[in-house]
Amino acid sequence: QVQLVESGGGLVQPGGSLRLSCTASTFFSINAVGWYRQAPGKQRDLVATITRGGTTNYADSVKGRFTISRDNAKNTVYLQMNSLKPEDTAVYYCQVSRYSINYWGQGTQVTVSS
């Protein structure tokens, strides 16, 4: 089993920044880590992914504003979110796959509002 704990969410004004963290109980046999988000009444969408080697991928809606990074020594993945918009409001989830089983964190709320 893999436990994932997200943190760093909160309320921020448009144009502001937040940094989310996702700490895993282990990164053993895990390659890619992903951040997803789900707004009320909408499906859960991929935001960004990062492989063990550092290859990143972003949704078009966040390119140039969000940066995903990882510290393998700390079993932690970060999502730096800049120039936040109201449409970025959602619950953000961390996800990994290990031995074909998907694991999710409990989510952290991000609200962008003036």
Side-chain angles (χ1 to χ4, degrees):
Q1 277 219 342
V2 180
Q3 285 78 44
L4 301 170
V5 178
E6 300 105 332
S7 62
L11 173 64
V12 63
Q13 292 187 342
S17 298
L18 283 175
R19 188 177 82 155
L20 306 183
S21 299
C22 170
T23 299
S25 56
T26 180
F27 270 174
F28 180 73
S29 293
I30 292 172
N31 182 21
V33 180
W35 280 101
Y36 290 74
R37 65 186 181 187
Q38 187 167 21
K42 295 189 176 181
Q43 67 181 19
R44 190 172 296 187
D45 292 326
L46 178 67
V47 176
T49 60
I50 186 167
T51 67
R52 177 177 292 276
T55 300
T56 58
N57 182 56
Y58 297 92
D60 288 342
S61 59
V62 306
K63 281 181 181 176
R65 300 189 298 123
F66 291 11
T67 302
I68 189 170
S69 60
R70 66 192 282 170
D71 185 335
N72 290 328
K74 296 182 178 179
N75 290 348
T76 299
V77 171
Y78 304 98
L79 185 68
Q80 177 67 43
M81 305 186 297
N82 299 328
S83 302
L84 283 162
K85 305 175 181 180
E87 51 263 44
D88 294 317
T89 295
V91 179
Y92 284 70
Y93 298 91
C94 181
Q95 181 268 340
V96 301
S97 180
R98 184 170 184 245
Y99 303 138
S100 300
I101 299 173
N102 288 327
Y103 297 91
W104 296 88
Q106 82 287 353
T108 184
Q109 176 70 48
V110 171
T111 302
V112 185
S113 175
S114 55

